[in-house]
């Protein structure tokens, strides 16, 4: 079974400072990895995803994440945050394709990290 | 505009009542999903469907039921058997294939049991 751990439930950060949100996963098979953002009382929006290839993935709004297979991590970073980045961020994992079973469409989410950007 | 709509935005239910949450998509996606969101617990999968007339239980299906009679629609019924139904419910859809595509989310329905 898969699991996703987001180590920080809340991260306060000053505007224009860098931020890193930590995500670790456990899975018995190779995985695909995702980061989503949720603004208050809204649905989720995809920030970026790792499917294969380069382990450094760039997403929208200046975010990037690095896949580290040996440490089973997929940490999210932004070098300089804005007030508008105040939101909740979710890391998610999906199994790789396994023959006839399209397991890749089922996501397991972490508990979320709430980012509060202060002026 | 293509997207996912959920209705109603807010729903109040008395104990012992069944309620149905609507989810409609016009993205031509084969797969649809229902998640429950509680503070500090992330999203947990209730049910998912990868094709019309077929659906599977997720991690917390007890007390919920779904149907998938049309590609565009995936309604969720919260039954009286669900012991703690107050939560934020999110519907999502995606295309299917060997490589997982992005799941697109609706705006959510906040259910409160009075």
């Amino acid at each position: 079974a898969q699991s996703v751990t987001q180590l920080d439930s809340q991260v306060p950060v000053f505007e224009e400072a860098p931020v890193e949100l930590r995500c670790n996963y456990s899975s018995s098979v190779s995985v695909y990895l995702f980061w989503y953002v949720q603004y208050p009382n809204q649905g989720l929006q995809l920030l970026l995803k790792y499917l294969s290839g380069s382990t450094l993935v760039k997403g929208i709004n200046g975010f990037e994440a690095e896949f580290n297979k040996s440490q089973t991590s997929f940490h999210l970073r932004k070098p300089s945050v804005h007030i508008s980045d105040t939101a909740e961020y979710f890391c998610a994992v999906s199994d790789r394709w396994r023959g006839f079973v399209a397991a890749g469409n089922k996501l397991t989410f972490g508990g979320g990290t709430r980012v509060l950007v202060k002026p | 505009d293509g997207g996912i709509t959920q209705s109603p935005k807010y729903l109040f239910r008395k104990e012992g009542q069944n309620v149905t949450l609507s989810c409609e998509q016009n993205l031509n996606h084969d797969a649809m999903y229902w998640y429950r969101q509680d503070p500090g617990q992330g999203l947990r999968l209730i049910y998912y469907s990868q094709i019309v007339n077929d659906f599977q239980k997720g991690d917390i299906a007890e007390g919920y039921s779904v149907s998938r009679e049309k590609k565009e629609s995936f309604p969720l019924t919260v039954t009286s058997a669900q012991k703690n139904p107050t939560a934020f419910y999110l519907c999502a859809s995606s295309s299917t294939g060997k490589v997982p595509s992005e799941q697109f989310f609706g705006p959510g329905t906040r259910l409160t049991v009075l």
Side-chain angles (χ1 to χ4, degrees):
Chain A
Q2 298 168 319
S3 68
V4 179
T5 302
Q6 291 184 240
L7 296 162
D8 306 296
S9 60
Q10 293 190 62
V11 173
V13 58
F14 286 105
E15 194 174 16
E16 298 184 6
V19 70
E20 178 179 80
L21 308 184
R22 296 178 291 170
C23 172
N24 286 90
Y25 68 92
S26 66
S27 176
S28 58
V29 298
S30 296
V31 295
Y32 302 108
L33 294 153
F34 305 80
W35 274 100
Y36 283 83
V37 60
Q38 184 182 34
Y39 299 103
N41 294 312
Q42 294 186 27
L44 275 66
Q45 178 184 357
L46 182 70
L47 276 178
L48 49 78
K49 60 187 176 186
Y50 171 77
L51 302 181
S52 65
S54 172
T55 57
L56 184 62
V57 180
K58 293 190 184 296
I60 62 171
N61 301 340
F63 284 93
E64 64 180 31
E66 185 152 21
F67 170 57
N68 188 320
K69 188 174 181 178
S70 63
Q71 296 187 8
T72 60
S73 68
F74 191 53
H75 300 333
L76 180 71
R77 301 184 185 95
K78 185 170 182 178
S80 175
V81 296
H82 302 289
I83 295 288
S84 60
D85 292 321
T86 293
E88 190 155 21
Y89 294 80
F90 293 95
C91 182
V93 63
S94 173
D95 282 350
R96 284 192 176 274
W97 171 265
R98 293 178 291 174
F100 295 108
V101 177
N105 285 306
K106 195 174 159 199
L107 294 177
T108 300
F109 284 85
T113 298
R114 195 173 296 275
V115 173
L116 176 60
V117 181
K118 302 176 181 180
Chain B
D1 285 334
I4 302 180
T5 57
Q6 291 185 242
S7 61
K9 188 174 175 68
Y10 298 97
L11 185 57
F12 298 91
R13 190 195 90 172
K14 293 182 181 178
E15 284 194 22
Q17 285 182 335
N18 292 355
V19 289
T20 297
L21 282 59
S22 169
C23 177
E24 303 275 333
Q25 55 99 0
N26 61 4
L27 299 168
N28 200 33
H29 286 160
D30 285 313
M32 296 187 75
Y33 315 81
W34 273 106
Y35 294 93
R36 171 183 171 136
Q37 184 177 16
D38 297 281
Q41 295 194 49
L43 278 70
R44 293 179 290 168
L45 184 65
I46 305 173
Y47 268 97
Y48 65 105
S49 167
Q50 299 209 54
I51 197 166
V52 174
N53 292 323
D54 187 51
F55 49 83
Q56 287 81 41
K57 292 182 179 180
D59 301 317
I60 55 164
E62 186 176 348
Y64 299 98
S65 66
V66 294
S67 62
R68 186 83 188 278
E69 296 175 3
K70 297 187 299 182
K71 188 175 184 177
E72 304 80 28
S73 178
F74 191 40
L76 173 74
T77 296
V78 184
T79 75
S80 57
Q82 169 48 234
K83 290 182 171 52
N84 184 21
T86 294
F88 190 51
Y89 290 87
L90 286 160
C91 178
S93 72
S94 75
S95 55
T96 58
K98 291 186 178 182
V99 176
S101 60
E102 175 184 353
Q103 286 192 16
F104 290 83
F105 285 80
T109 292
R110 189 167 297 279
L111 173 63
T112 302
V113 173
L114 303 173

